[in-house]
Amino acid sequence: MSSLSDTVVSAAINRPLSFKNPKYNPSRRHKPHRQLVSDEQKRLATLTLPVDAVTYFSVEAYPPLRPQKHYCDITGLKGHYKAPSSGLRFANAEVYQVVRTMAQGVDQQYLELRNANVVLK
Amino acid sequence: MTINSEGKKSNVSSGDYPPPVVHPLAEPRVSLKPEPFYDNYQSGVPIAIDIGSSNIRAGLTNTDTPFLNMPTIISRFRDRKLNRMLTYVGNDCFLDPLFKSSIKSPFDGPLINNWDVTEWLLDYSFYHLNVSSQDGVDNPIIINEFMATPASQRKNMYQLLFEGYNVPSVVFGLSDLFSFHYNNRNNTNKSSLILGCGNQSTNIIPVIDSKPLLHFAKRINWGGEQAVEYLSKSIGLKYPFFPTKITTHQFETMVQDFSYFSDDYLAELDDLMNLEYLHDKDVVLEASFNEVVQVQKSEEEIARQQEKRREQGKRLQEQAQKARLEKLVEKEADFKYYSELKERLLNPENKISKKQMIQTLSEAGFDDVADFNKYLSNLERSLKRARHQDIGENEVEEEPNFYLLDMKDEDLSEEQLKEKKSQKLQKANYEARKKAKEEKLIEKKRKEEEEAQEQSWREKDLDGWIEDKRAKLKVIVDRKKQREKLKAELNDRKSHAAQIRMKNIANLAADGSGNARNSSSTALNTMGNGGAGGNGGARSKRNVKKVTIDNDPNDTFGANDDDWMIYKDIANFEDEEQLEVENSELKALEDLLLKYDPSFNPEDLFNSEYNWKKSTLHKFLRGAYSFDPEDQHQQHQIHLNVERIKVPEILIQPTIAGLDQAGIVEISENLLLKRLPSSNFYNFNDNNVTPDIIKNIFLTGGVSKTANFKNRIVREFTSFLPSGNNLQVNVAEEPIIDAWRGMKLWSLSDSYKNSFITRKEYDEMGPEYIKEHNLGNVRL
C-alpha cells in the first residue's frame, strides 16, 4: 500500500466526538431489505388498521392493466416473434439467428433483464 | 500512449456519413481536497438532512443551500502502516483510489439497513458542520423519510438522533413534498400531482389544497439506480467481449448524459433503424486504452518482401509440378500394367481358371476380384484427374531422341546402359505429358463447343436461357439452404432429422444380416458372367468357421460405391470435395447471370457481400458506420442507440424491465381521471374550468433531470386528459437540492413549530409517533 499523504490521513474521521452521547452503544443487526419488509408485514398484521390505511404495501403500484407491448430482448426494437426454444422475443429473422445460436445460459441472462428467467430454488 | 480527448473525430469510415463524434467514458471520480468545515455554526438553528440512497444533503438552515452534498457512502479499512482503522465519508472516499474497494452504503434497496454506516455519515455531517456543543447536538433536526416507511426505519432514526446525539427535537417529512413546498413557495397553486422520480423509487403523490393524499399515492419500485443497473446489464450482453471493465460510475454518467425520453417510443424504435436517424442519435463511447502502434514498413521493404514471396511461391510451384508429374508417370505405368493384367486374365484364349485368377491377384496384393476392380477403377479416375493438373508443360517440347531404347542391353556399354535407363524415364515423362495435353485439348474443345452452343441459345432465346440458368441456380441454392437447415436441425437432438440419423446409425450397428446392406449389389458380375457365383461359393467354403459382422460372407456391403452413401447421410460434417464442386458450379452460374441477365444484381448473389447497412444487428451494435474489427479504437467503442430511449422508457412501461407495476402515466391517468374525481375532489364536468391539480403537474427527484421528460409527460397527459384542459407541467428548479431547500423554508414556518417531536414526547409516545403535517407521512 502506498503511503497516504498527511492531508488524506487527516481527512479520516475519528471517534469519540464531543457532541455524541458517550454512553450510546446500541446493539444492531444488519437486516437485508427483504427481511425489513417482511418484519414490517408481520408488524402490520398485529395491528387493526382502517381499510385505507397508508402502509408500505398499500402505496405499492398495482400491476399494469393496459396490454403489454412486446420488445425484442436482444435489440430492444419491436419484438413481434418469440423463439419457441428459449422464450426470447426477437425483432426479425436476422436477430433470430442470434437467438438460435446463442451460447448456453445467455438466453437466461437476456430473460433476466425482464425477470422472465428460470430461477431454481 | 493514452488517447481519448473530448469530441475527437474517429477515423472510422462510414461511407455515407461523417465519422462519429467519439465521447470518452467518464473518468473515475476523484476528490482533490478533503471536505471543508462549516464556519457559521449556531447552536439551536435547525439542521436539515435530506438523506437519499445516492446523495446526502445536510446543512444548518441559516444558509440557502445545503453545506454538505455528498454521496451516501463511507469507506472504512485498516491501514497497515499506521496500524489503525481509517474511516472516510462522502466525497472524501474519492481522495485516494485505494479507498474504493471498501466503500459501503447504508442502503439496501430503498431502505436503510446498515445503521453503523448511517451513524458514521451523521457523525461526519455534524463534525463538518462544526457542531461544537458538548454531549449532544444542540440543534433541532429536520430529516426525510421514505413514503409510508416501515416503522423500523423511523424507530432506528429516532433512536440514533435522540439517544446517540441527544438532539432536542426531530421532525420527519417526505423529500418530494419538501421539494414541492420549495418550488411552490409563492403559493401559486396549492394543488399538484407530484411525480417524485428518485434514485430507488418513483412516487406519485396527489396534493389537493396543500394536503398530500397519501392514501391515493403510489410508489413504483424503479429509480435511477435500477436504470443504471439495467443499462449495465444490457451493455454487458450487447458487448460480451468488451476489453475493459466499465464501472458503475461510468454507466451512471451514460444514463445522465445520454438517455432521454422519446416523444413517441414505438415510432422512434422504427426510426432508429433508419441510417440517417441512427447517425443522428447514435452515441459512441470509447474506453481509454494503450494503443499498440504498428510499425509502418517502407514501400521498398514491402516490394522486396513481395518479390521474395513471389520467388518462393514460384519455387514451390515448380516443385509441386515436378512431384505431380512424377506421380502421373507412376500412375500411368501402374494403369498400363494392371489393364494389361486384366486383359490377360479375361482373355478367353488364355483359358485361365478362377483359381488361377485369384491366385494371380492375391500375389499382386489384392483380396479378391472385387478389390482388384475397385482399385483399377479408382486408379483410372485419379489418373484422369491427374492429367488435368498443371504438370508444367508450358514449354514446347520436341520429342526427344530415345535411340537407345530400341537396342538390346547386351550391345550396350555400361555408360550407355545408364543412359538408356534415363531415357526410359524421360520417355515415360514425355508420354505422360503428351497424354495429359491431349486430354486437356479434348476437354477444351468440348468446352468451346458447349460455350458456342450456349452463345447461340442466348442469341436465339435470352429469356429461355436465363430461365434455365436461374432454375439451375435455384436447385443449387436450395440444396445449400436445405443443407444449412439440416445442419441446424441436427443441433437439436429431438428434431426429426437428428432422429432419422440416429436410426441409421442404429441400423448400421445392428447385428444380423441385410439391415444396412439392402443397397449392395453384386459388383463381381462386372468381371464376367459366372464369376460371382463361383466366387461366392469358394468364399463360403473358406469362411465356414465363424460368421461375424466382420467376415460375414453374405455381407456385400461396399461392393457397390453407393453403399458408402449411408455414411455421408449420417456424417455430421460436410463433404468438402462435393462442396467445392458445388461452389464452383454456383459461381459459374452466378457469373453468367451477372453478365447476361439484366435483372440479376450483385445483391442477388448467394454469398453476396454482407451488407451492414441492411443489418439490424450491425446498426444496433455499431451504429450507422462500418466496422473494422482490427481497429483498436473501434474495439474499445460502445454504441448507445436504442438504450438511450429504452432506459428512461421503463418508468412509463415498467414491464420492459419485467417489473409487474403500472407506469407513471397509467397510474396518473387512473388517479386524475377516475380515483380523484370519484372521491369528489374535483370533476371535469365544469365547462372550461381546469381542476387545479392539472395545472400543476410537478416533476422532482434526480431522474426528472432526464432530457425531454417534461415534453413526454405533456404529450402523454394531453393524450388522456379531456380536451380543453389547461395542462401545466413544472419541473423542480434543482431537483437534487430542492428538497433540502424546502426543509429550510419550512423550518421558518408555524407548521414546523407544531410538528416536531421533542425528546420528552419521544420518550412518552414511543418510536413510531409523529405529528402529522402537510409535508410528511401519515400516522397509522
Side-chain angles (χ1 to χ4, degrees):
Chain A
M1 193 182 262
S2 67
S3 65
L4 304 168
S5 74
D6 289 347
T7 25
V8 171
V9 172
S10 70
I13 178 168
N14 302 305
R15 283 172 178 158
L17 295 156
S18 66
F19 52 77
K20 273 191 98 174
N21 178 0
K23 282 173 214 146
Y24 180 64
N25 187 17
S27 60
R28 289 174 182 138
R29 273 175 54 213
H30 304 315
K31 292 179 177 173
H33 174 247
R34 195 199 301 240
Q35 202 181 345
L36 290 175
V37 171
S38 78
D39 282 356
E40 175 73 0
Q41 211 150 20
K42 279 179 203 152
R43 187 188 74 93
L44 290 173
T46 63
L47 304 173
T48 41
L49 295 169
V51 193
D52 63 345
V54 180
T55 68
Y56 186 74
F57 307 99
S58 76
V59 295
E60 188 120 5
Y62 41 83
L65 299 169
R66 289 182 187 167
Q68 192 178 332
K69 292 194 181 74
H70 297 303
Y71 300 98
C72 172
D73 284 314
I74 317 300
T75 61
L77 302 169
K78 290 177 196 165
H80 295 301
Y81 319 101
K82 188 174 165 187
S85 51
S86 57
L88 281 174
R89 298 209 153 261
F90 56 91
N92 55 30
E94 190 195 353
V95 182
Y96 182 57
Q97 290 308 310
V98 175
V99 172
R100 225 194 45 191
T101 55
M102 204 167 258
Q104 208 181 6
V106 181
D107 52 345
Q108 289 299 314
Q109 287 178 348
Y110 273 108
L111 288 170
E112 197 189 329
L113 273 183
R114 57 175 168 96
N115 262 336
N117 56 329
V118 178
V119 181
L120 297 173
K121 277 181 182 163
Chain B
M1 177 180 77
T2 309
I3 30 168
N4 247 340
S5 51
E6 183 77 47
K8 185 179 71 69
K9 292 276 176 186
S10 121
N11 53 357
V12 185
S13 66
S14 76
D16 299 354
Y17 299 103
V21 176
V22 177
H23 303 269
L25 284 177
E27 296 285 328
R29 262 176 150 165
V30 179
S31 280
L32 298 174
K33 277 192 301 196
E35 198 83 48
F37 289 86
Y38 190 54
D39 55 6
N40 191 16
Y41 172 75
Q42 285 169 304
S43 178
V45 173
I47 291 177
I49 301 171
D50 176 20
I51 177 166
S53 63
S54 81
N55 279 284
I56 174 170
R57 279 122 328 223
L60 265 78
T61 52
N62 56 8
T63 54
D64 286 337
T65 48
F67 177 71
L68 294 172
N69 181 0
M70 58 192 189
T72 318
I73 49 170
I74 74 160
S75 172
R76 195 169 150 72
F77 59 94
R78 177 170 291 279
D79 187 299
R80 281 168 210 274
K81 237 177 207 165
L82 302 168
N83 199 23
R84 68 182 174 108
M85 290 298 287
L86 294 176
T87 309
Y88 293 88
V89 177
N91 289 316
D92 289 351
C93 294
F94 304 117
L95 284 171
D96 195 294
L98 283 176
F99 305 167
K100 226 183 270 172
S101 59
S102 36
I103 282 178
K104 264 188 234 149
S105 160
F107 281 85
D108 180 20
L111 303 178
I112 297 176
N113 82 328
N114 192 334
W115 291 91
D116 289 334
V117 173
T118 315
E119 194 178 333
W120 278 109
L121 273 161
L122 290 180
D123 276 356
Y124 182 87
S125 304
F126 294 138
Y127 179 58
H128 277 258
L129 290 173
N130 244 332
V131 174
S132 48
S133 48
Q134 291 296 313
D135 287 337
V137 176
D138 191 19
N139 302 71
I141 302 290
I142 305 171
I143 193 165
N144 70 312
E145 62 181 0
F146 204 64
M147 180 168 78
T149 182
S152 59
Q153 297 278 298
R154 188 181 295 155
K155 181 184 150 197
N156 277 313
M157 192 55 93
Y158 263 145
Q159 204 177 46
L160 179 57
L161 290 171
F162 279 130
E163 294 170 23
Y165 300 104
N166 286 332
V167 299
S169 73
V170 174
V171 65
F172 290 103
L174 301 185
S175 296
D176 298 330
L177 294 172
F178 280 125
S179 175
F180 168 65
H181 181 69
Y182 177 75
N183 282 277
N184 201 34
R185 55 195 176 278
N186 301 327
N187 259 330
T188 43
N189 187 347
K190 291 179 177 174
S191 297
S192 171
L193 180 71
I194 300 174
L195 305 179
C197 309
N199 191 46
Q200 288 288 349
S201 62
T202 301
N203 297 328
I204 299 161
I205 312 173
V207 178
I208 301 273
D209 286 333
S210 301
K211 191 162 173 41
L213 308 173
L214 286 185
H215 47 290
F216 287 103
K218 286 289 167 224
R219 179 190 72 232
I220 303 170
N221 297 327
W222 190 266
E225 191 174 306
Q226 282 75 22
V228 170
E229 200 184 327
Y230 185 83
L231 179 71
S232 119
K233 280 186 185 166
S234 305
I235 295 296
L237 287 168
K238 186 175 180 179
Y239 300 101
F241 302 112
F242 198 69
T244 61
K245 189 183 181 301
I246 306 175
T247 62
T248 314
H249 171 60
Q250 287 169 331
F251 281 119
E252 263 168 30
T253 325
M254 279 185 226
V255 172
Q256 281 162 17
D257 293 353
F258 300 117
S259 70
Y260 65 95
F261 278 91
S262 167
D263 276 335
D264 183 344
Y265 189 63
L266 287 177
E268 188 156 4
L269 282 182
D270 287 342
D271 287 343
L272 275 173
M273 286 300 111
N274 170 339
L275 278 182
E276 197 175 334
Y277 194 81
L278 182 64
H279 167 69
D280 207 30
K281 294 293 180 185
D282 190 57
V283 168
V284 187
L285 291 150
E286 188 172 300
S288 61
F289 64 97
N290 293 325
E291 193 170 13
V292 181
V293 185
Q294 274 162 343
V295 186
Q296 282 287 329
K297 282 176 186 150
S298 72
E299 235 166 84
E300 223 176 287
E301 216 169 324
I302 294 171
R304 206 167 45 235
Q305 265 181 343
Q306 268 178 348
E307 183 58 33
K308 210 170 160 187
R309 220 170 297 147
R310 211 174 301 135
E311 252 167 52
Q312 252 170 359
K314 215 168 156 187
R315 214 168 36 238
L316 278 176
Q317 233 167 15
E318 274 165 16
Q319 269 171 13
Q321 272 176 1
K322 210 170 146 194
R324 276 198 292 264
L325 181 64
E326 269 165 28
K327 243 191 187 148
L328 181 61
V329 171
E330 207 175 286
K331 274 181 187 162
E332 294 270 15
D334 276 3
F335 183 65
K336 202 171 149 198
Y337 173 78
Y338 285 116
S339 13
E340 273 168 17
L341 180 67
K342 188 179 172 180
E343 241 162 68
R344 205 174 63 230
L345 290 176
L346 286 182
N347 197 344
E349 285 169 30
N350 290 347
K351 291 199 180 107
I352 293 170
S353 75
K354 286 281 116 98
K355 219 170 182 178
Q356 274 174 315
M357 187 152 88
I358 286 171
Q359 201 180 350
T360 327
L361 286 179
S362 74
E363 266 165 22
F366 295 99
D367 289 347
D368 50 31
V369 188
D371 194 24
F372 175 67
N373 265 356
K374 199 167 154 200
Y375 174 78
L376 201 61
S377 66
N378 275 347
L379 190 62
E380 194 176 351
R381 214 175 321 142
S382 75
L383 191 62
K384 237 180 204 159
R385 218 179 305 141
R387 278 185 193 140
H388 284 289
Q389 281 170 337
D390 175 26
I391 44 171
E393 19 90 66
N394 301 344
E395 65 273 17
V396 189
E397 269 184 282
E398 274 175 44
E399 185 171 356
N401 197 352
F402 304 122
Y403 61 97
L404 284 175
L405 292 183
D406 300 333
M407 298 196 198
K408 280 181 185 161
D409 283 2
E410 297 93 55
D411 307 338
L412 297 174
S413 68
E414 198 128 302
E415 221 153 88
Q416 276 173 318
L417 267 177
K418 244 189 208 163
E419 179 69 22
K420 186 179 173 184
K421 223 178 190 176
S422 97
Q423 277 190 6
K424 218 176 191 172
L425 207 68
Q426 272 176 4
K427 190 177 177 201
N429 262 358
Y430 171 76
E431 271 167 5
R433 254 184 249 166
K434 207 166 116 190
K435 222 166 197 172
K437 228 181 200 166
E438 275 162 21
E439 193 88 12
K440 268 185 190 169
L441 247 142
I442 294 168
E443 178 69 16
K444 205 176 153 195
K445 217 171 174 184
R446 195 183 60 77
K447 269 202 176 141
E448 267 167 15
E449 265 168 39
E450 213 173 85
E451 182 51 38
Q453 236 171 2
E454 294 267 300
Q455 177 79 26
S456 67
W457 186 7
R458 267 203 302 274
E459 273 160 18
K460 267 196 301 209
D461 174 19
L462 184 62
D463 287 348
W465 180 85
I466 287 174
E467 206 175 300
D468 175 70
K469 291 289 168 278
R470 286 208 165 198
K472 277 183 184 158
L473 185 67
K474 192 171 178 293
V475 169
I476 298 180
V477 168
D478 282 352
R479 197 160 59 213
K480 273 181 149 341
K481 280 187 180 159
Q482 188 67 33
R483 202 158 43 231
E484 291 267 298
K485 207 174 149 193
L486 188 74
K487 208 172 145 196
E489 258 183 68
L490 282 178
N491 283 336
D492 178 9
R493 278 192 305 126
K494 285 181 209 142
S495 70
H496 182 65
Q499 296 204 337
I500 295 273
R501 175 168 175 264
M502 282 317 290
K503 222 179 205 167
N504 279 338
I505 292 176
N507 279 346
L508 275 174
D511 211 0
S513 57
N515 265 344
R517 6 191 153 100
N518 37 20
S519 65
S520 56
S521 64
T522 47
L524 299 167
N525 284 337
T526 50
M527 277 297 281
N529 16 353
N535 243 337
R539 256 213 284 183
S540 61
K541 231 181 253 169
R542 260 190 296 158
N543 297 335
V544 273
K545 19 184 177 163
K546 198 180 172 194
V547 175
T548 69
I549 192 151
D550 294 323
N551 62 5
D552 184 354
N554 300 321
D555 186 359
T556 51
F557 178 84
N560 189 339
D561 276 354
D562 283 346
D563 292 353
W564 303 102
M565 288 304 282
I566 188 80
Y567 287 110
K568 244 178 211 175
D569 283 347
I570 63 166
N572 242 347
F573 59 88
E574 286 180 359
D575 184 352
E576 278 185 27
E577 209 173 306
Q578 193 194 343
L579 213 65
E580 218 169 273
V581 173
E582 198 178 72
N583 280 342
S584 65
E585 265 176 65
L586 181 79
K587 194 171 176 304
L589 276 171
E590 280 179 344
D591 285 349
L592 279 174
L593 280 169
L594 270 182
K595 206 166 164 190
Y596 298 109
D597 183 354
S599 61
F600 192 85
N601 298 316
E603 292 96 78
D604 301 327
L605 295 177
F606 181 73
N607 285 329
S608 71
E609 190 78 347
Y610 162 72
N611 186 356
W612 62 263
K613 284 182 185 171
K614 281 185 185 167
S615 160
T616 311
L617 284 168
H618 180 101
K619 286 187 267 190
F620 174 61
L621 289 172
R622 308 294 172 194
Y625 317 99
S626 63
F627 178 65
D628 171 14
E630 297 294 311
D631 184 335
Q632 290 180 51
H633 287 276
Q634 291 187 42
Q635 284 167 0
H636 288 80
Q637 285 171 358
I638 62 171
H639 292 250
L640 298 180
N641 36 55
V642 178
E643 295 83 0
R644 291 184 70 191
I645 55 173
K646 185 181 176 189
V647 169
E649 186 70 18
I650 297 170
L651 217 45
I652 292 166
Q653 302 178 50
T655 46
I656 292 179
L659 191 62
D660 193 27
Q661 291 189 313
I664 41 170
V665 175
E666 187 179 344
I667 291 176
S668 304
E669 176 181 349
N670 190 23
L671 208 56
L672 292 176
L673 296 188
K674 292 192 189 128
R675 299 192 62 203
L676 292 177
S678 68
S679 302
N680 290 323
F681 285 104
Y682 56 85
N683 65 64
F684 283 105
N685 296 333
D686 303 340
N687 283 336
N688 293 327
V689 178
T690 309
D692 280 351
I693 192 168
I694 308 286
K695 288 193 266 182
N696 191 13
I697 309 295
F698 177 64
L699 313 178
T700 184
V703 174
S704 68
K705 296 208 286 188
T706 310
N708 207 35
F709 191 25
K710 185 180 165 182
N711 284 347
R712 177 65 184 269
I713 291 294
V714 170
R715 264 183 91 101
E716 294 282 350
F717 278 50
T718 315
S719 74
F720 71 68
L721 285 172
S723 63
N725 276 290
N726 180 18
L727 171 74
Q728 270 187 39
V729 179
N730 304 309
V731 186
E733 272 173 33
E734 278 184 61
I736 305 273
I737 60 168
D738 277 1
W740 188 92
R741 288 165 160 176
M743 291 176 176
K744 184 243 149 108
L745 191 66
W746 187 62
S747 74
L748 308 170
S749 68
D750 289 343
S751 162
Y752 167 66
K753 292 184 180 86
N754 299 325
S755 305
F756 58 71
I757 306 294
T758 61
R759 174 69 190 258
K760 204 176 149 225
E761 283 165 321
Y762 165 72
D763 287 340
E764 224 170 82
M765 308 295 288
E768 281 166 34
Y769 181 69
I770 50 164
K771 291 176 185 166
E772 283 186 15
H773 57 89
N774 278 346
L775 302 174
N777 273 321
V778 289
R779 199 166 52 217
L780 270 181

